[in-house]
Amino acid sequence: MNLASILLTAFALSMDAFAVSVTKGMTLKKINYSVSGKIGLFFGFFQGVMPLIGWCLGIQFESYIKSYDHWIAFILLSFIGLKMIFDAKDDKSKSNSFKLNNKELFILSIATSIDALAIGVSFAFLKINIIPICISIAIITFSICFLGVLIGKKIGSLFKTYAQILGGIILILIGLNILNDHTGIISNIL
């Protein structure tokens, strides 16, 4: 996996958390850099840790499904990408809370990082060093969420749906790229 793929994956995974951050920015009464940083840290931490957990689980099953690993990565990435696209039409992440609640942030952080857990499982089959990827995901998610809160406060929900759709499309394209790298299936069609 090259640097561009790592950065695109990190960006794509952060889109759910970005959408929630924008929403929090719209609903919180008082937004400052401290509040944005706290939200960014919650989301960044969980987005960075979940792929590591998924990778640890996936590495134990490697010998059983090595010949199907690229298909598993493609299916997981495509499923998550499609879910993100379809969820973009749903406004479930909007909260009516006007206070920053640690319990709510914890739950939102877990909920938006489940896809990162699945990505971690698929990474286990690709023979890649997971630590730099987890760090990249955490840093990019923190940065995007920090800005997302500030954007939410300034311009509202304009970018929420589009951010999730873009993230979903990027995950699907990465899945297709992995499948093509291992099978050449797309290159053979074109």
Side-chain angles (χ1 to χ4, degrees):
M1 207 171 179
N2 61 30
L3 180 61
S5 293
I6 291 170
L7 294 177
L8 285 173
T9 300
F11 178 76
L13 287 173
S14 69
M15 288 298 100
D16 280 348
F18 171 75
V20 174
S21 297
V22 170
T23 303
K24 291 306 291 175
M26 293 182 318
T27 61
L28 292 173
K29 283 186 176 180
K30 184 179 179 186
I31 299 291
N32 56 34
Y33 292 124
S34 175
V35 170
S36 295
K38 183 176 184 177
I39 291 171
L41 282 173
F42 264 87
F43 286 118
F45 175 78
F46 283 98
Q47 288 285 2
V49 167
M50 291 298 245
L52 180 61
I53 294 169
W55 182 83
C56 290
L57 293 171
I59 210 80
Q60 295 183 14
F61 300 106
E62 176 188 6
S63 63
Y64 299 108
I65 51 178
K66 190 174 183 176
S67 60
Y68 303 104
D69 60 353
H70 47 280
W71 285 102
I72 292 168
F74 167 71
I75 290 167
L76 285 173
L77 288 166
S78 295
F79 174 77
I80 294 164
L82 287 170
K83 182 182 178 303
M84 286 174 68
I85 291 168
F86 290 122
D87 285 351
K89 305 288 185 203
D90 193 7
D91 203 19
K92 288 180 183 174
S93 63
K94 188 165 183 173
S95 170
N96 293 324
S97 171
F98 290 102
K99 291 183 177 181
L100 187 59
N101 180 325
N102 288 337
K103 183 179 176 184
E104 180 186 16
L105 272 179
F106 178 78
I107 292 168
L108 288 171
S109 297
I110 295 289
T112 58
S113 63
I114 295 299
D115 54 350
L117 178 77
I119 297 292
V121 171
S122 66
F123 284 162
F125 307 119
L126 299 177
K127 298 283 191 217
I128 57 177
N129 187 353
I130 192 68
I131 300 301
I133 294 172
C134 291
I135 292 170
S136 298
I137 291 169
I139 290 170
I140 289 172
T141 302
F142 168 80
S143 302
I144 286 175
C145 291
F146 181 87
L147 292 173
V149 174
L150 299 175
I151 289 169
K153 188 65 175 174
K154 293 284 184 192
I155 61 172
S157 62
L158 179 64
F159 293 114
K160 178 181 173 276
T161 299
Y162 298 112
Q164 282 188 261
I165 291 171
L166 179 61
I169 290 170
I170 289 171
L171 285 180
I172 292 168
L173 290 175
I174 290 170
L176 285 170
N177 184 49
I178 290 169
L179 182 64
N180 188 53
D181 283 349
H182 287 268
T183 65
I185 196 167
I186 297 170
S187 299
N188 292 336
I189 292 172
L190 301 175

